[in-house]
Amino acid sequence: MPFRHLDLAMWRWPLVYIVLTYLHTVARAGLVNVTVHSTNPQIQYAPETSCRGNKAGGCGVRFEPWELTTYTTVHNRRYSFHQVDSWGNEPSSETMRRRFSFRFTGSAIYVYGAPRDYLNYPPGRHEICLDGNCEVVNGGDKYESSGTEPVLLWSSGDLGSNHAHLLELRFLDNGNGWGWWPMTGTSFQHLVYTTEPTKEPPPYRPANGTALANVTLHDTNYAIQYEPREIWKQSTFSALNKPKDTFHYSSSEGSHPDSGSFHQVSFEMQGAAIYLYGASDDALRTIEPKPYIHAPIDVCLDDECHPIDVHQAYLDSTDDEHLPILLWSYSGLYPEKTTFVHIRMLSGESAAGVVRRSNFERVVYTELRPMSPIVHPIERGIYHKKRVLYDAVDRFPLFRWRIEAGASGSYGSVLNEKWYGKLPQWSYSAQGYGFRIYGPPLESMRNLNHAAQRICLNQNYCHYIDVGHIYMSIPNSYEDLPVLIWSIDGLDPFTKHSITAEMVDHFYDQDKRVMALSHVETLWVEVPAAPPPPPPPKPSTSNTPTKTASPTQPSTAQPTTTTVFVTLIPQPDHGTGYHVLLIFTGIAICVIALLFGYFSSHHLHRVRHYMPLNGEPHPNYGTVGEENASEQPPRA
């Protein structure tokens, strides 16, 4: 319903009108509302501990006055809040009165208390100060006798422009429950403030020849560093979809963030986005069967730190309790630049003995990887897989590698023993668009201490591979199959690539570790040469008449196409001897012709010599008698 039509409705539902009007104003101004829960590390509670006196007048029990309470709604959603009671409160003391503070930059703020049904004591009086301007609020006036929804305790909706402010809530009651001094309390569940949206960098667009790919670093990865190492413990548990999984955890005992002594996790990365995961609720029960109190953390990317409400992240998770919990994510980084990541626990050691814990399960970040622009499948391409066994790669030192006979085949292995200051390694070069590195089957490598490997492609695309975690995650049903350790696809199929795998130095222990290789699988494509194109047809004349287009009507004549097939008889390719024989044959024919001509001319000469020219016989032919002469006619 448009706001101009709310003139009559505002008198019937004034609260709805005010809320809608405010939201409309926020939307028009381009502002955003930010919710901060009571477990956020930006909320500062004081004092850290209080004391309940004993009969002798001393401190009988030391405790944390702000108690964390969690409840579940009818819609199966979990919420938490902090509440405090009046016993032992010192309102007149600047240091011992129970309070909390919060700094923000915005133009409006709203403070909410917990639902009435979940409070331990009746609501009491508190003082809310904004930039030193204080207002006393009676909590009893804000609450009804019962309720299951959060209650608005105080608000300020017109703070002007977007400036920095300091909010403080001070509890004013100090009743101990004796006589006329009943115990009261106050609560804080969350606050909402209005501010201008932060400008986030646009998503990273990879250049040609590269692509974004996810890289997972588990808690046991060699690239993860724990400080101090003796404080962080590793826990192994049975996971839902794999036999075993791990996570690292630490407690607030011995932590002093105020003095710069943090329990932290650190690593380096080159990525465009980062995703931080904690252990599942089911995994946390293996170390703490009681309700787990999560310590807030700080995630620092170089010098820029982000406070993380870990407790609320677990409450917001509605996934399966067996799955890891996404604690925090961030994008807008530049993968060409190396980013130093520090995850610090912000809770220190409590004087009241309350233990808070922090855990780390894995981190996933997106990095740049080489990617060929060639699209598969390639036309006329014939795809192959080439399997190169362990003994066909270059190994260093060669004599340290041992040939092991497994149930599913042999493989090569080597221990983490240095040779002239270098740990064992192997390398392999081939042309292809993808590579797979396989280790021996699980049945041959069970209960062995695996060394981490640093695998590099073309000496510039490198990863630390957590081989031990890979073998731990293999189901027993695949124990007789080779284990995939590392793979890559999308490379230039017509370029030769090199792969190098070297054992890394686990400097924090001196245990014997093993490095093993079963085979390397190369994916390559063969593109045969294209057949030569057929010769162009020769032009031919045709006597077929064509129709002449009319000057006024469109032509309907169809062009006549005549195809002429020409058969080309290939000429034989003779050698030199053939030509010599041909020459001598010609010479012989010429000689025979000359001889024939000579003898023919000589015989003709003789015939002409003996034949009379006038028809008279030759003298040697005899005399013709007179008696006979009259009978023979004369010759013409």
mmCIF file of all heavy atoms in Angstrom, residues 590-613:
data_model
loop_
_atom_site.group_PDB
_atom_site.id
_atom_site.type_symbol
_atom_site.label_atom_id
_atom_site.label_comp_id
_atom_site.label_asym_id
_atom_site.label_seq_id
_atom_site.Cartn_x
_atom_site.Cartn_y
_atom_site.Cartn_z
ATOM 1 N N CYS A 590 68.236 -46.256 -86.025
ATOM 2 C CA CYS A 590 68.800 -45.397 -87.077
ATOM 3 C C CYS A 590 69.835 -46.160 -87.920
ATOM 4 O O CYS A 590 69.880 -46.051 -89.163
ATOM 5 C CB CYS A 590 69.416 -44.146 -86.470
ATOM 6 S SG CYS A 590 68.193 -43.040 -85.731
ATOM 7 N N VAL A 591 70.698 -46.931 -87.274
ATOM 8 C CA VAL A 591 71.729 -47.705 -87.991
ATOM 9 C C VAL A 591 71.069 -48.712 -88.922
ATOM 10 O O VAL A 591 71.448 -48.890 -90.088
ATOM 11 C CB VAL A 591 72.674 -48.383 -86.992
ATOM 12 C CG1 VAL A 591 73.615 -49.348 -87.725
ATOM 13 C CG2 VAL A 591 73.476 -47.318 -86.251
ATOM 14 N N ILE A 592 70.065 -49.414 -88.405
ATOM 15 C CA ILE A 592 69.365 -50.405 -89.244
ATOM 16 C C ILE A 592 68.710 -49.721 -90.436
ATOM 17 O O ILE A 592 68.723 -50.222 -91.572
ATOM 18 C CB ILE A 592 68.342 -51.169 -88.398
ATOM 19 C CG1 ILE A 592 69.056 -52.019 -87.362
ATOM 20 C CG2 ILE A 592 67.453 -52.037 -89.271
ATOM 21 C CD1 ILE A 592 68.118 -52.678 -86.359
ATOM 22 N N ALA A 593 68.113 -48.569 -90.206
ATOM 23 C CA ALA A 593 67.471 -47.838 -91.299
ATOM 24 C C ALA A 593 68.485 -47.445 -92.364
ATOM 25 O O ALA A 593 68.221 -47.513 -93.578
ATOM 26 C CB ALA A 593 66.744 -46.624 -90.753
ATOM 27 N N LEU A 594 69.687 -46.983 -91.966
ATOM 28 C CA LEU A 594 70.737 -46.610 -92.917
ATOM 29 C C LEU A 594 71.194 -47.809 -93.731
ATOM 30 O O LEU A 594 71.367 -47.730 -94.956
ATOM 31 C CB LEU A 594 71.896 -45.961 -92.182
ATOM 32 C CG LEU A 594 71.623 -44.566 -91.566
ATOM 33 C CD1 LEU A 594 72.832 -44.105 -90.746
ATOM 34 C CD2 LEU A 594 71.314 -43.554 -92.648
ATOM 35 N N LEU A 595 71.414 -48.939 -93.052
ATOM 36 C CA LEU A 595 71.841 -50.148 -93.769
ATOM 37 C C LEU A 595 70.780 -50.594 -94.773
ATOM 38 O O LEU A 595 71.080 -50.990 -95.908
ATOM 39 C CB LEU A 595 72.141 -51.249 -92.762
ATOM 40 C CG LEU A 595 73.380 -51.030 -91.882
ATOM 41 C CD1 LEU A 595 73.509 -52.159 -90.861
ATOM 42 C CD2 LEU A 595 74.640 -50.914 -92.709
ATOM 43 N N PHE A 596 69.542 -50.586 -94.346
ATOM 44 C CA PHE A 596 68.450 -50.984 -95.230
ATOM 45 C C PHE A 596 68.389 -50.058 -96.440
ATOM 46 O O PHE A 596 68.215 -50.489 -97.587
ATOM 47 C CB PHE A 596 67.136 -50.977 -94.462
ATOM 48 C CG PHE A 596 65.974 -51.375 -95.309
ATOM 49 C CD1 PHE A 596 65.735 -52.719 -95.594
ATOM 50 C CD2 PHE A 596 65.131 -50.407 -95.839
ATOM 51 C CE1 PHE A 596 64.669 -53.064 -96.413
ATOM 52 C CE2 PHE A 596 64.063 -50.779 -96.643
ATOM 53 C CZ PHE A 596 63.813 -52.119 -96.935
ATOM 54 N N GLY A 597 68.576 -48.809 -96.240
ATOM 55 C CA GLY A 597 68.544 -47.866 -97.358
ATOM 56 C C GLY A 597 69.702 -48.084 -98.329
ATOM 57 O O GLY A 597 69.557 -47.965 -99.542
ATOM 58 N N TYR A 598 70.872 -48.403 -97.746
ATOM 59 C CA TYR A 598 72.049 -48.608 -98.604
ATOM 60 C C TYR A 598 71.838 -49.799 -99.500
ATOM 61 O O TYR A 598 72.041 -49.745 -100.728
ATOM 62 C CB TYR A 598 73.280 -48.763 -97.721
ATOM 63 C CG TYR A 598 74.520 -49.159 -98.503
ATOM 64 C CD1 TYR A 598 75.226 -48.210 -99.280
ATOM 65 C CD2 TYR A 598 74.955 -50.474 -98.521
ATOM 66 C CE1 TYR A 598 76.346 -48.590 -100.013
ATOM 67 C CE2 TYR A 598 76.066 -50.845 -99.233
ATOM 68 C CZ TYR A 598 76.769 -49.906 -99.987
ATOM 69 O OH TYR A 598 77.854 -50.293 -100.711
ATOM 70 N N PHE A 599 71.474 -50.923 -98.937
ATOM 71 C CA PHE A 599 71.321 -52.137 -99.754
ATOM 72 C C PHE A 599 70.159 -52.002 -100.728
ATOM 73 O O PHE A 599 70.194 -52.504 -101.846
ATOM 74 C CB PHE A 599 71.095 -53.349 -98.840
ATOM 75 C CG PHE A 599 72.363 -53.800 -98.156
ATOM 76 C CD1 PHE A 599 72.536 -53.615 -96.811
ATOM 77 C CD2 PHE A 599 73.397 -54.422 -98.892
ATOM 78 C CE1 PHE A 599 73.682 -54.038 -96.182
ATOM 79 C CE2 PHE A 599 74.537 -54.839 -98.243
ATOM 80 C CZ PHE A 599 74.700 -54.647 -96.892
ATOM 81 N N SER A 600 69.133 -51.343 -100.360
ATOM 82 C CA SER A 600 68.008 -51.143 -101.276
ATOM 83 C C SER A 600 68.423 -50.334 -102.506
ATOM 84 O O SER A 600 68.066 -50.631 -103.662
ATOM 85 C CB SER A 600 66.852 -50.477 -100.541
ATOM 86 O OG SER A 600 66.383 -51.299 -99.518
ATOM 87 N N SER A 601 69.179 -49.284 -102.316
ATOM 88 C CA SER A 601 69.625 -48.452 -103.430
ATOM 89 C C SER A 601 70.582 -49.195 -104.348
ATOM 90 O O SER A 601 70.559 -49.059 -105.573
ATOM 91 C CB SER A 601 70.276 -47.167 -102.880
ATOM 92 O OG SER A 601 71.413 -47.494 -102.112
ATOM 93 N N HIS A 602 71.438 -50.029 -103.793
ATOM 94 C CA HIS A 602 72.398 -50.802 -104.612
ATOM 95 C C HIS A 602 71.670 -51.812 -105.480
ATOM 96 O O HIS A 602 71.960 -51.975 -106.696
ATOM 97 C CB HIS A 602 73.390 -51.491 -103.683
ATOM 98 C CG HIS A 602 74.426 -52.304 -104.426
ATOM 99 N ND1 HIS A 602 75.444 -51.731 -105.195
ATOM 100 C CD2 HIS A 602 74.549 -53.647 -104.563
ATOM 101 C CE1 HIS A 602 76.178 -52.697 -105.763
ATOM 102 N NE2 HIS A 602 75.643 -53.902 -105.373
ATOM 103 N N HIS A 603 70.709 -52.518 -104.958
ATOM 104 C CA HIS A 603 69.959 -53.493 -105.747
ATOM 105 C C HIS A 603 69.160 -52.813 -106.843
ATOM 106 O O HIS A 603 69.089 -53.322 -107.991
ATOM 107 C CB HIS A 603 69.011 -54.278 -104.806
ATOM 108 C CG HIS A 603 68.158 -55.256 -105.522
ATOM 109 N ND1 HIS A 603 68.658 -56.439 -106.082
ATOM 110 C CD2 HIS A 603 66.824 -55.232 -105.819
ATOM 111 C CE1 HIS A 603 67.678 -57.091 -106.670
ATOM 112 N NE2 HIS A 603 66.533 -56.360 -106.518
ATOM 113 N N LEU A 604 68.601 -51.685 -106.591
ATOM 114 C CA LEU A 604 67.869 -50.950 -107.620
ATOM 115 C C LEU A 604 68.790 -50.527 -108.755
ATOM 116 O O LEU A 604 68.421 -50.545 -109.947
ATOM 117 C CB LEU A 604 67.173 -49.749 -106.972
ATOM 118 C CG LEU A 604 66.329 -48.885 -107.897
ATOM 119 C CD1 LEU A 604 65.170 -49.731 -108.476
ATOM 120 C CD2 LEU A 604 65.765 -47.684 -107.151
ATOM 121 N N HIS A 605 69.985 -50.172 -108.407
ATOM 122 C CA HIS A 605 70.954 -49.774 -109.440
ATOM 123 C C HIS A 605 71.250 -50.934 -110.378
ATOM 124 O O HIS A 605 71.294 -50.762 -111.614
ATOM 125 C CB HIS A 605 72.225 -49.260 -108.773
ATOM 126 C CG HIS A 605 73.334 -48.965 -109.752
ATOM 127 N ND1 HIS A 605 73.335 -47.849 -110.609
ATOM 128 C CD2 HIS A 605 74.464 -49.652 -110.058
ATOM 129 C CE1 HIS A 605 74.423 -47.871 -111.376
ATOM 130 N NE2 HIS A 605 75.140 -48.971 -111.040
ATOM 131 N N ARG A 606 71.418 -52.122 -109.820
ATOM 132 C CA ARG A 606 71.707 -53.296 -110.648
ATOM 133 C C ARG A 606 70.517 -53.647 -111.510
ATOM 134 O O ARG A 606 70.642 -54.024 -112.701
ATOM 135 C CB ARG A 606 72.092 -54.461 -109.776
ATOM 136 C CG ARG A 606 73.441 -54.246 -109.047
ATOM 137 C CD ARG A 606 73.823 -55.515 -108.316
ATOM 138 N NE ARG A 606 74.024 -56.591 -109.313
ATOM 139 C CZ ARG A 606 74.336 -57.849 -108.971
ATOM 140 N NH1 ARG A 606 74.422 -58.194 -107.698
ATOM 141 N NH2 ARG A 606 74.512 -58.754 -109.932
ATOM 142 N N VAL A 607 69.365 -53.571 -111.008
ATOM 143 C CA VAL A 607 68.186 -53.901 -111.820
ATOM 144 C C VAL A 607 68.056 -52.944 -112.988
ATOM 145 O O VAL A 607 67.784 -53.340 -114.138
ATOM 146 C CB VAL A 607 66.921 -53.885 -110.924
ATOM 147 C CG1 VAL A 607 65.668 -53.992 -111.825
ATOM 148 C CG2 VAL A 607 66.951 -55.033 -109.942
ATOM 149 N N ARG A 608 68.243 -51.665 -112.725
ATOM 150 C CA ARG A 608 68.183 -50.685 -113.795
ATOM 151 C C ARG A 608 69.287 -50.904 -114.844
ATOM 152 O O ARG A 608 69.151 -50.602 -116.044
ATOM 153 C CB ARG A 608 68.252 -49.276 -113.220
ATOM 154 C CG ARG A 608 66.998 -48.872 -112.450
ATOM 155 C CD ARG A 608 67.175 -47.493 -111.899
ATOM 156 N NE ARG A 608 65.934 -47.070 -111.233
ATOM 157 C CZ ARG A 608 65.797 -45.911 -110.583
ATOM 158 N NH1 ARG A 608 66.829 -45.024 -110.582
ATOM 159 N NH2 ARG A 608 64.662 -45.624 -110.018
ATOM 160 N N HIS A 609 70.424 -51.425 -114.432
ATOM 161 C CA HIS A 609 71.545 -51.665 -115.377
ATOM 162 C C HIS A 609 71.213 -52.791 -116.356
ATOM 163 O O HIS A 609 71.596 -52.730 -117.552
ATOM 164 C CB HIS A 609 72.794 -51.975 -114.587
ATOM 165 C CG HIS A 609 73.991 -52.252 -115.444
ATOM 166 N ND1 HIS A 609 74.685 -51.277 -116.163
ATOM 167 C CD2 HIS A 609 74.601 -53.430 -115.786
ATOM 168 C CE1 HIS A 609 75.682 -51.851 -116.879
ATOM 169 N NE2 HIS A 609 75.650 -53.183 -116.637
ATOM 170 N N TYR A 610 70.508 -53.793 -115.962
ATOM 171 C CA TYR A 610 70.222 -54.929 -116.846
ATOM 172 C C TYR A 610 68.895 -54.808 -117.578
ATOM 173 O O TYR A 610 68.573 -55.590 -118.444
ATOM 174 C CB TYR A 610 70.208 -56.250 -116.046
ATOM 175 C CG TYR A 610 71.606 -56.622 -115.569
ATOM 176 C CD1 TYR A 610 71.937 -56.507 -114.253
ATOM 177 C CD2 TYR A 610 72.558 -57.126 -116.505
ATOM 178 C CE1 TYR A 610 73.208 -56.878 -113.834
ATOM 179 C CE2 TYR A 610 73.828 -57.475 -116.079
ATOM 180 C CZ TYR A 610 74.153 -57.369 -114.764
ATOM 181 O OH TYR A 610 75.383 -57.722 -114.353
ATOM 182 N N MET A 611 68.074 -53.932 -117.352
ATOM 183 C CA MET A 611 66.756 -53.810 -117.989
ATOM 184 C C MET A 611 66.872 -52.823 -119.164
ATOM 185 O O MET A 611 67.360 -51.715 -118.969
ATOM 186 C CB MET A 611 65.708 -53.308 -116.986
ATOM 187 C CG MET A 611 64.317 -53.220 -117.588
ATOM 188 S SD MET A 611 63.143 -52.698 -116.311
ATOM 189 C CE MET A 611 63.194 -54.105 -115.288
ATOM 190 N N PRO A 612 66.466 -53.241 -120.447
ATOM 191 C CA PRO A 612 66.517 -52.316 -121.584
ATOM 192 C C PRO A 612 65.521 -51.198 -121.384
ATOM 193 O O PRO A 612 64.467 -51.407 -120.815
ATOM 194 C CB PRO A 612 66.148 -53.189 -122.796
ATOM 195 C CG PRO A 612 65.376 -54.325 -122.195
ATOM 196 C CD PRO A 612 65.927 -54.554 -120.851
ATOM 197 N N LEU A 613 65.928 -50.101 -121.954
ATOM 198 C CA LEU A 613 65.106 -48.933 -121.779
ATOM 199 C C LEU A 613 64.012 -48.840 -122.831
ATOM 200 O O LEU A 613 62.989 -48.220 -122.588
ATOM 201 C CB LEU A 613 65.955 -47.661 -121.841
ATOM 202 C CG LEU A 613 67.041 -47.545 -120.755
ATOM 203 C CD1 LEU A 613 67.846 -46.295 -120.980
ATOM 204 C CD2 LEU A 613 66.401 -47.582 -119.371
#
